[in-house]
Amino acid sequence: MSAGAAGLRTEVPCWARGLVLGSCALSALGALLLVASHALCPELRTRPRRLLLCLSLADLLAAAACFYGALRDFQAPSWDCVAQGALSAFANCSSFFWTVAVALDLYLALVRGWRAGPALLAALHLLSWGVPLTITVVAVVMNKIGYDASDVSVGWCWINLDAEDRVLWMLLTGKLWEILAYVTLPIFYILIKKHINRAHAALSEYRPILSSTPACSPGMSVADKKLILIPVIFIFLRIWSTIRFVLTLCDSAAVQNPVLVVLHGVGNTFQGGANCIMFVFCTRVVRNKLLSSLCCWRYDGRGHSLSSPETRYHYQVPAAKQWEGPECDWARAEFSST
């Protein structure tokens, strides 16, 4: 990436800024709904939901920072450009860490049978908050955060393009962890899905009658679909920023393509909204409990009590002959939309 290329500013049209601002607002609203579901429903405060809460807080900070940056549409370096860029770098890095942490926790619990203790949870907090904060503070102190001419952003600030080692800091403040997430998320979720399929196969072998009356096939079918969607949605939303990053390194004029700019802006700011859709609107237990708290409903639309499976199941990993109950509870508690 040459200095000349760094001096050319990518123009962000008003309509594109409007789309990015709308995406930021929806993402912030989605993150707030996830936080609200955690605050209003004590029985939903299981470990995976607590990790999801941390992810939602990181997404909320990222959406707020990008909203301010897109609204200001920085044209030159300034103090608030540095402040906004620092908050954005910290929040996005933390979001990557927490996204992988959720997948790691599911993998350890369901595949390895490890119940996470306080030490592991403390380590996740230390890594997912501490590492991004340390990198961001060092970047600010060394004057690496600043105006980037929207070549690697959409109106907001990130890494100062005048820095000679800007590529290194782009990697450290986001891109390295983003690319690692592209690799680790599919691996974790594929391993989890294979574990569930093996449990189904073993259960079918011991319980042939399930072929005609499956105990939890709807819930597990939904779980399988969502396990696939989680890494797919993450990669689809984030890949556009990675493409622009590579194009910037190659000094390609395509980095200023308006469609690519919009996809980058919306993808980078809608993670909180996507998580809300997956884990609130498409999860019946959480959706109904949230509506119950907001609208004073006490039963769901089918007349059933809104008692949550999550109150009865806290990552109990199925034993050799207990696949049916816990696996079904996990599917319904964390992923079921039926």
Side-chain angles (χ1 to χ4, degrees):
M1 183 167 52
S2 66
L8 297 176
R9 184 180 187 278
T10 298
E11 293 297 330
V12 182
C14 291
W15 62 269
R17 288 176 57 204
L19 289 176
V20 173
L21 290 171
S23 176
C24 290
L26 290 174
S27 185
L29 178 61
L32 286 173
L33 283 175
L34 279 164
V35 173
S37 69
H38 187 85
L40 295 174
C41 308
E43 63 272 30
L44 298 182
R45 296 172 189 171
T46 57
R47 188 175 68 256
R49 291 281 164 180
R50 290 198 296 270
L51 297 180
L52 186 61
L53 173 67
C54 295
L55 173 59
S56 300
L57 293 175
D59 288 334
L60 180 60
L61 289 176
C66 291
F67 184 90
Y68 180 81
L71 188 64
R72 280 278 279 112
D73 193 23
F74 293 102
Q75 307 287 326
S78 62
W79 69 268
D80 57 338
C81 171
V82 175
Q84 180 271 308
L87 180 60
S88 177
F90 165 73
N92 278 291
C93 274
S94 183
S95 177
F96 299 146
F97 275 79
W98 280 117
T99 300
V100 174
V102 171
L104 174 63
D105 185 64
L106 286 173
Y107 170 77
L108 292 177
L110 293 174
V111 179
R112 293 299 180 182
W114 294 351
R115 183 179 177 85
L120 178 58
L121 295 178
L124 290 177
H125 278 279
L126 182 62
L127 287 173
S128 300
W129 295 123
V131 173
L133 181 60
T134 301
I135 293 174
T136 303
V137 170
V138 173
V140 172
V141 171
M142 295 182 66
N143 197 30
K144 304 301 180 181
I145 302 290
Y147 180 65
D148 66 0
S150 290
D151 272 4
V152 282
S153 68
V154 186
W156 54 79
C157 292
W158 184 26
I159 296 299
N160 186 353
L161 289 188
D162 290 333
E164 293 182 359
D165 53 354
R166 54 188 173 269
V167 175
L168 172 64
W169 284 99
M170 287 178 189
L171 290 171
L172 289 176
T173 58
K175 289 305 168 189
L176 174 62
W177 317 114
E178 184 178 61
I179 293 170
L180 287 177
Y182 292 156
V183 177
T184 55
L185 286 177
I187 291 175
F188 280 138
Y189 285 112
I190 288 172
L191 291 175
I192 294 170
K193 190 175 185 301
K194 288 177 65 176
H195 171 77
I196 293 173
N197 290 340
R198 285 196 298 268
H200 267 303
L203 183 60
S204 298
E205 181 179 350
Y206 284 99
R207 297 279 302 277
I209 193 173
L210 289 180
S211 60
S212 58
T213 57
C216 63
S217 57
M220 292 310 299
S221 175
V222 171
D224 286 348
K225 291 177 182 178
K226 288 191 177 181
L227 284 174
I228 295 171
L229 285 177
I230 289 171
V232 168
I233 290 176
F234 176 84
I235 294 173
F236 177 78
L237 290 176
R238 290 287 181 172
I239 195 65
W240 313 109
S241 65
T242 304
I243 291 174
R244 288 195 74 213
F245 170 68
V246 174
L247 291 174
T248 301
L249 297 182
C250 298
D251 288 339
S252 173
V255 73
Q256 299 181 339
N257 182 283
V259 175
L260 193 56
V261 170
V262 171
L263 289 172
H264 176 185
V266 174
N268 263 36
T269 57
F270 195 64
Q271 190 66 47
N275 289 337
C276 179
I277 292 172
M278 289 282 290
F279 295 104
V280 174
F281 297 134
C282 291
T283 304
R284 181 180 59 82
V285 171
V286 182
R287 181 179 66 241
N288 286 344
K289 287 299 294 183
L290 186 60
L291 289 175
S292 175
S293 299
L294 295 176
C295 306
C296 300
W297 292 355
R298 301 191 64 178
Y299 296 91
D300 67 16
R302 293 176 294 181
H304 298 307
S305 171
L306 289 175
S307 174
S308 169
E310 291 186 78
T311 63
R312 304 187 301 273
Y313 175 62
H314 296 275
Y315 266 25
Q316 299 172 355
V317 180
K321 294 185 179 180
Q322 295 176 332
W323 289 299
E324 178 180 337
E327 289 283 2
C328 293
D329 281 346
W330 172 78
R332 286 191 294 265
E334 297 302 332
F335 293 97
S336 179
S337 61
T338 58

Coordinates of all heavy atoms in Angstrom, one line a residue, residues 46-104:
T46 N -27.8 -18.8 31.9 CA -26.9 -20.0 31.9 C -25.5 -19.5 31.4 O -25.4 -18.3 30.9 CB -27.4 -21.0 30.9 OG1 -27.6 -20.4 29.6 CG2 -28.8 -21.6 31.4
R47 N -24.5 -20.3 31.4 CA -23.2 -19.9 31.0 C -23.1 -19.5 29.6 O -22.5 -18.4 29.3 CB -22.2 -21.0 31.3 CG -20.8 -20.6 31.1 CD -19.7 -21.6 31.4 NE -19.8 -22.8 30.6 CZ -20.3 -23.9 30.9 NH1 -20.8 -24.1 32.0 NH2 -20.3 -25.0 30.0
P48 N -23.7 -20.2 28.6 CA -23.6 -19.8 27.2 C -24.3 -18.4 27.0 O -23.8 -17.6 26.2 CB -24.4 -20.9 26.4 CG -25.1 -21.6 27.4 CD -24.4 -21.6 28.7
R49 N -25.4 -18.2 27.8 CA -26.1 -16.9 27.7 C -25.2 -15.8 28.3 O -25.2 -14.6 27.8 CB -27.4 -16.9 28.3 CG -28.4 -17.8 27.6 CD -29.0 -17.1 26.4 NE -29.6 -18.0 25.5 CZ -30.2 -17.6 24.3 NH1 -30.3 -16.3 24.0 NH2 -30.8 -18.5 23.5
R50 N -24.4 -16.1 29.3 CA -23.6 -15.1 29.9 C -22.4 -14.7 28.9 O -22.0 -13.5 28.8 CB -23.0 -15.6 31.2 CG -24.0 -15.7 32.3 CD -23.3 -15.7 33.7 NE -22.5 -16.9 33.8 CZ -23.0 -18.1 34.3 NH1 -24.3 -18.2 34.7 NH2 -22.2 -19.1 34.4
L51 N -21.9 -15.7 28.2 CA -20.9 -15.4 27.2 C -21.5 -14.6 26.1 O -20.9 -13.7 25.5 CB -20.3 -16.7 26.7 CG -19.6 -17.6 27.7 CD1 -19.0 -18.8 27.0 CD2 -18.4 -16.8 28.3
L52 N -22.7 -14.9 25.7 CA -23.4 -14.2 24.6 C -23.7 -12.8 25.1 O -23.7 -11.8 24.3 CB -24.8 -14.9 24.3 CG -25.5 -14.3 23.1 CD1 -24.7 -14.4 21.8 CD2 -26.9 -15.1 23.0
L53 N -23.9 -12.5 26.4 CA -24.1 -11.2 26.9 C -22.8 -10.4 26.7 O -22.9 -9.2 26.3 CB -24.5 -11.2 28.4 CG -24.5 -9.9 29.1 CD1 -25.6 -9.0 28.6 CD2 -24.6 -10.1 30.6
C54 N -21.7 -11.0 27.0 CA -20.4 -10.3 26.8 C -20.2 -9.9 25.3 O -19.8 -8.8 24.9 CB -19.3 -11.1 27.3 SG -19.3 -11.4 29.1
L55 N -20.6 -10.9 24.4 CA -20.5 -10.6 23.0 C -21.4 -9.5 22.6 O -21.0 -8.6 21.8 CB -20.8 -11.9 22.2 CG -20.9 -11.8 20.7 CD1 -19.7 -11.3 20.1 CD2 -21.4 -13.1 20.1
S56 N -22.6 -9.4 23.2 CA -23.5 -8.4 22.8 C -23.0 -7.0 23.3 O -23.2 -6.0 22.6 CB -24.9 -8.7 23.5 OG -25.4 -9.9 23.1
L57 N -22.4 -7.0 24.4 CA -21.8 -5.7 24.9 C -20.7 -5.2 23.9 O -20.6 -4.0 23.6 CB -21.3 -5.8 26.3 CG -22.3 -6.1 27.4 CD1 -21.7 -6.4 28.7 CD2 -23.3 -4.9 27.5
A58 N -19.9 -6.1 23.5 CA -18.8 -5.7 22.5 C -19.5 -5.3 21.2 O -19.0 -4.3 20.6 CB -17.9 -6.9 22.3
D59 N -20.5 -6.0 20.7 CA -21.2 -5.5 19.5 C -21.9 -4.2 19.7 O -21.9 -3.4 18.7 CB -22.2 -6.6 19.1 CG -21.5 -7.9 18.5 OD1 -20.4 -7.8 18.0 OD2 -22.2 -8.9 18.6
L60 N -22.4 -3.9 20.9 CA -23.0 -2.6 21.1 C -22.0 -1.5 21.1 O -22.3 -0.5 20.4 CB -23.7 -2.7 22.5 CG -24.4 -1.4 23.0 CD1 -25.5 -1.0 22.0 CD2 -25.0 -1.6 24.4
L61 N -20.9 -1.7 21.7 CA -19.8 -0.7 21.6 C -19.3 -0.5 20.2 O -19.1 0.7 19.7 CB -18.6 -1.1 22.5 CG -18.8 -1.1 24.0 CD1 -17.6 -1.6 24.7 CD2 -19.1 0.4 24.4
A62 N -19.2 -1.6 19.4 CA -18.8 -1.5 18.0 C -19.8 -0.7 17.2 O -19.4 0.2 16.4 CB -18.5 -2.8 17.4
A63 N -21.1 -1.0 17.4 CA -22.1 -0.3 16.6 C -22.1 1.2 16.9 O -22.3 2.0 16.1 CB -23.5 -1.0 16.9
A64 N -22.0 1.5 18.2 CA -22.0 2.9 18.6 C -20.8 3.7 18.1 O -21.0 4.8 17.6 CB -22.0 3.0 20.2
A65 N -19.6 3.1 18.1 CA -18.4 3.7 17.6 C -18.6 3.9 16.1 O -18.3 5.0 15.5 CB -17.2 2.9 17.9
C66 N -19.0 2.9 15.3 CA -19.2 3.0 13.9 C -20.3 4.0 13.5 O -20.2 4.7 12.5 CB -19.4 1.7 13.3 SG -18.0 0.6 13.3
F67 N -21.3 4.1 14.3 CA -22.4 5.0 14.1 C -21.9 6.5 14.2 O -22.1 7.3 13.3 CB -23.5 4.9 15.1 CG -24.7 5.7 14.9 CD1 -25.8 5.3 14.1 CD2 -24.8 7.0 15.4 CE1 -26.9 6.1 13.8 CE2 -25.9 7.8 15.2 CZ -27.0 7.4 14.4
Y68 N -21.1 6.7 15.2 CA -20.5 8.1 15.3 C -19.6 8.4 14.2 O -19.6 9.5 13.6 CB -19.8 8.2 16.7 CG -19.2 9.6 16.9 CD1 -19.9 10.6 17.3 CD2 -17.8 9.8 16.6 CE1 -19.4 11.9 17.5 CE2 -17.3 11.0 16.8 CZ -18.0 12.1 17.3 OH -17.5 13.3 17.5
G69 N -18.8 7.4 13.8 CA -17.8 7.6 12.7 C -18.5 7.9 11.4 O -18.2 8.8 10.6
A70 N -19.5 7.1 11.1 CA -20.3 7.2 9.8 C -21.1 8.5 9.8 O -21.2 9.2 8.8 CB -21.2 6.1 9.6
L71 N -21.6 8.9 11.0 CA -22.3 10.2 11.1 C -21.4 11.4 10.9 O -21.7 12.4 10.2 CB -23.0 10.3 12.4 CG -24.0 11.5 12.7 CD1 -25.2 11.3 11.7 CD2 -24.4 11.5 14.1
R72 N -20.2 11.3 11.5 CA -19.2 12.4 11.3 C -18.6 12.4 9.9 O -18.3 13.5 9.4 CB -18.1 12.3 12.4 CG -18.5 12.8 13.8 CD -18.3 14.3 13.9 NE -16.9 14.7 14.1 CZ -16.1 15.3 13.2 NH1 -16.6 15.6 12.1 NH2 -14.9 15.6 13.5
D73 N -18.4 11.3 9.4 CA -17.8 11.1 8.1 C -16.5 11.9 8.0 O -16.3 12.9 7.3 CB -18.7 11.6 6.9 CG -18.2 11.2 5.6 OD1 -17.4 10.2 5.5 OD2 -18.6 11.9 4.6
F74 N -15.5 11.5 8.8 CA -14.3 12.2 9.0 C -13.6 12.5 7.7 O -13.4 11.7 6.8 CB -13.3 11.4 9.9 CG -13.8 11.3 11.3 CD1 -14.4 10.1 11.7 CD2 -13.7 12.3 12.2 CE1 -14.8 9.9 13.0 CE2 -14.1 12.2 13.5 CZ -14.7 11.0 13.9
Q75 N -13.2 13.8 7.5 CA -12.4 14.2 6.3 C -11.0 14.5 6.6 O -10.2 14.7 5.7 CB -13.1 15.6 5.8 CG -14.6 15.5 5.6 CD -15.0 14.7 4.4 OE1 -14.2 14.7 3.4 NE2 -16.1 14.0 4.4
A76 N -10.6 14.5 7.9 CA -9.2 14.8 8.3 C -9.0 14.3 9.7 O -9.9 14.0 10.4 CB -8.9 16.3 8.2
P77 N -7.7 14.2 10.1 CA -7.4 13.8 11.5 C -8.0 14.8 12.5 O -8.1 16.0 12.3 CB -5.9 13.8 11.5 CG -5.4 13.7 10.1 CD -6.5 14.4 9.3
S78 N -8.4 14.2 13.6 CA -9.0 15.0 14.8 C -8.9 14.2 16.0 O -8.7 12.9 16.0 CB -10.4 15.5 14.5 OG -11.3 14.3 14.3
W79 N -9.1 14.8 17.2 CA -9.1 14.1 18.4 C -10.2 13.1 18.6 O -10.0 12.0 19.1 CB -9.1 15.0 19.6 CG -10.5 15.7 19.8 CD1 -10.9 16.9 19.2 CD2 -11.6 15.2 20.5 NE1 -12.2 17.2 19.6 CE2 -12.6 16.2 20.4 CE3 -11.8 14.1 21.3 CZ2 -13.9 16.0 20.9 CZ3 -13.1 13.9 21.9 CH2 -14.1 14.8 21.7
D80 N -11.4 13.4 18.1 CA -12.5 12.5 18.2 C -12.4 11.4 17.2 O -12.9 10.3 17.3 CB -13.9 13.2 18.0 CG -14.0 14.0 16.7 OD1 -13.0 14.3 16.1 OD2 -15.2 14.2 16.3
C81 N -11.6 11.6 16.1 CA -11.3 10.5 15.2 C -10.5 9.4 15.9 O -10.8 8.2 15.7 CB -10.5 11.1 14.0 SG -9.9 9.8 12.8
V82 N -9.5 9.9 16.6 CA -8.7 8.9 17.4 C -9.5 8.2 18.4 O -9.4 7.0 18.6 CB -7.5 9.7 18.1 CG1 -6.7 8.7 19.0 CG2 -6.6 10.3 17.0
A83 N -10.4 8.9 19.2 CA -11.2 8.3 20.2 C -12.1 7.3 19.6 O -12.3 6.2 20.1 CB -12.0 9.4 20.9
Q84 N -12.8 7.7 18.5 CA -13.7 6.8 17.8 C -13.0 5.5 17.3 O -13.4 4.4 17.4 CB -14.5 7.5 16.7 CG -15.5 6.6 15.9 CD -14.8 5.9 14.7 OE1 -14.2 6.6 13.9 NE2 -15.0 4.6 14.6
G85 N -11.8 5.8 16.7 CA -11.1 4.6 16.1 C -10.6 3.7 17.2 O -10.6 2.5 17.0
A86 N -10.2 4.2 18.3 CA -9.8 3.4 19.4 C -10.9 2.5 20.0 O -10.7 1.3 20.2 CB -9.2 4.2 20.5
L87 N -12.1 3.1 20.2 CA -13.2 2.4 20.7 C -13.7 1.3 19.7 O -14.0 0.2 20.0 CB -14.4 3.3 21.0 CG -15.7 2.7 21.5 CD1 -15.4 2.0 22.8 CD2 -16.8 3.7 21.7
S88 N -13.6 1.7 18.4 CA -14.0 0.7 17.3 C -13.1 -0.4 17.3 O -13.5 -1.6 17.2 CB -14.1 1.4 16.0 OG -14.4 0.5 15.0
A89 N -11.8 -0.2 17.4 CA -10.8 -1.2 17.3 C -10.9 -2.2 18.5 O -10.9 -3.4 18.3 CB -9.4 -0.6 17.3
F90 N -11.1 -1.6 19.7 CA -11.2 -2.4 20.9 C -12.5 -3.3 20.8 O -12.5 -4.5 21.1 CB -11.3 -1.5 22.1 CG -11.8 -2.2 23.3 CD1 -11.0 -3.2 24.0 CD2 -13.1 -2.0 23.8 CE1 -11.5 -3.8 25.1 CE2 -13.6 -2.6 24.9 CZ -12.8 -3.6 25.6
A91 N -13.6 -2.7 20.4 CA -14.9 -3.4 20.4 C -14.9 -4.5 19.4 O -15.4 -5.6 19.6 CB -16.0 -2.4 20.2
N92 N -14.4 -4.2 18.2 CA -14.4 -5.2 17.1 C -13.4 -6.4 17.5 O -13.8 -7.6 17.3 CB -14.0 -4.6 15.8 CG -15.1 -3.9 15.1 OD1 -16.1 -4.6 14.6 ND2 -15.1 -2.6 15.1
C93 N -12.3 -6.1 18.0 CA -11.4 -7.2 18.5 C -12.0 -8.0 19.5 O -12.0 -9.2 19.5 CB -10.1 -6.6 19.0 SG -8.8 -6.2 17.8
S94 N -12.7 -7.4 20.5 CA -13.3 -8.1 21.6 C -14.5 -8.9 21.0 O -14.7 -10.1 21.5 CB -13.8 -7.1 22.6 OG -14.4 -7.8 23.7
S95 N -15.2 -8.4 20.1 CA -16.3 -9.2 19.5 C -15.8 -10.5 18.8 O -16.4 -11.5 18.9 CB -17.0 -8.3 18.4 OG -18.0 -9.1 17.8
F96 N -14.6 -10.4 18.1 CA -14.0 -11.6 17.5 C -13.7 -12.6 18.6 O -13.9 -13.8 18.5 CB -12.8 -11.2 16.7 CG -13.0 -10.3 15.6 CD1 -12.1 -9.3 15.2 CD2 -14.2 -10.3 14.9 CE1 -12.3 -8.5 14.1 CE2 -14.4 -9.4 13.8 CZ -13.5 -8.5 13.5
F97 N -13.0 -12.1 19.7 CA -12.6 -13.0 20.7 C -13.9 -13.7 21.4 O -13.8 -14.9 21.6 CB -11.9 -12.2 21.8 CG -10.4 -12.1 21.5 CD1 -9.9 -11.2 20.6 CD2 -9.5 -13.0 22.1 CE1 -8.6 -11.1 20.3 CE2 -8.1 -12.8 21.9 CZ -7.7 -11.9 21.0
W98 N -14.9 -12.9 21.7 CA -16.1 -13.5 22.3 C -16.9 -14.4 21.4 O -17.4 -15.4 21.8 CB -17.0 -12.4 22.8 CG -16.6 -11.8 24.1 CD1 -16.2 -10.5 24.3 CD2 -16.4 -12.5 25.4 NE1 -15.8 -10.3 25.6 CE2 -15.9 -11.5 26.3 CE3 -16.7 -13.8 25.8 CZ2 -15.7 -11.9 27.6 CZ3 -16.4 -14.1 27.1 CH2 -16.0 -13.2 28.0
T99 N -16.9 -14.1 20.1 CA -17.5 -15.0 19.1 C -16.8 -16.4 19.1 O -17.5 -17.5 19.2 CB -17.5 -14.4 17.7 OG1 -18.1 -13.2 17.7 CG2 -18.2 -15.4 16.7
V100 N -15.5 -16.4 19.2 CA -14.8 -17.7 19.2 C -15.0 -18.3 20.6 O -15.1 -19.6 20.7 CB -13.3 -17.5 18.9 CG1 -12.5 -18.7 19.1 CG2 -13.1 -17.0 17.5
A101 N -15.0 -17.5 21.7 CA -15.2 -18.0 23.0 C -16.5 -18.8 23.2 O -16.6 -19.9 23.8 CB -15.1 -16.9 24.0
V102 N -17.6 -18.3 22.6 CA -18.9 -19.0 22.6 C -18.8 -20.3 21.9 O -19.2 -21.4 22.4 CB -20.0 -18.1 22.0 CG1 -21.3 -18.9 21.8 CG2 -20.2 -16.9 22.8
A103 N -18.1 -20.4 20.8 CA -18.0 -21.6 20.0 C -17.1 -22.6 20.8 O -17.4 -23.8 20.9 CB -17.4 -21.4 18.6
L104 N -16.0 -22.1 21.4 CA -15.1 -22.9 22.2 C -15.8 -23.5 23.4 O -15.7 -24.7 23.7 CB -13.9 -22.1 22.7 CG -13.0 -22.8 23.6 CD1 -12.3 -24.0 23.0 CD2 -11.9 -21.8 24.1

